[in-house]
Amino acid sequence: MTVALPPALTQLVERLLNTGRYADEGEVVREALRVLEHQEFDESPALEAAILEGVRSPHVPYDVAVLDRIRQNARLQA
């Protein structure tokens, strides 16, 4: 597979290589894809906290105040 990167991303790859953390460009791309996969397919702690709160709570009609409280609780647990 061949990938063309815009100049800004090419510079980013070069800066990351210069840190010594990565052996080559492929390693940088593999790490970036692992991070992307994690973001795309793993639930965030905030989302998980909101789901658990909903499962454990008695039924309450959702309004702005309830959603604000859930968001605040999720931020505190993240």
Side-chain angles (χ1 to χ4, degrees):
M1 175 186 301
T2 302
V3 178
L5 297 175
L9 290 179
T10 299
Q11 290 172 356
L12 173 60
V13 170
E14 290 170 0
R15 284 196 321 262
L16 290 168
L17 287 173
N18 288 336
T19 68
R21 181 175 172 194
Y22 301 96
D24 56 38
E25 292 88 351
E27 198 173 320
V28 173
V29 171
R30 284 188 294 278
E31 177 67 13
L33 290 173
R34 279 191 289 273
V35 170
L36 180 62
E37 180 181 40
H38 177 74
Q39 288 176 346
E40 290 290 320
F41 298 111
D42 293 344
E43 291 182 4
S44 72
L47 176 58
E48 185 176 353
I51 291 169
L52 289 174
E53 181 176 345
V55 168
R56 294 177 181 150
S57 299
H59 176 70
V60 176
Y62 277 54
D63 60 15
V64 174
V66 172
L67 293 175
D68 286 343
R69 184 177 49 78
I70 290 170
R71 287 184 187 107
Q72 180 63 31
N73 288 341
R75 280 189 217 105
L76 294 175
Q77 294 178 15

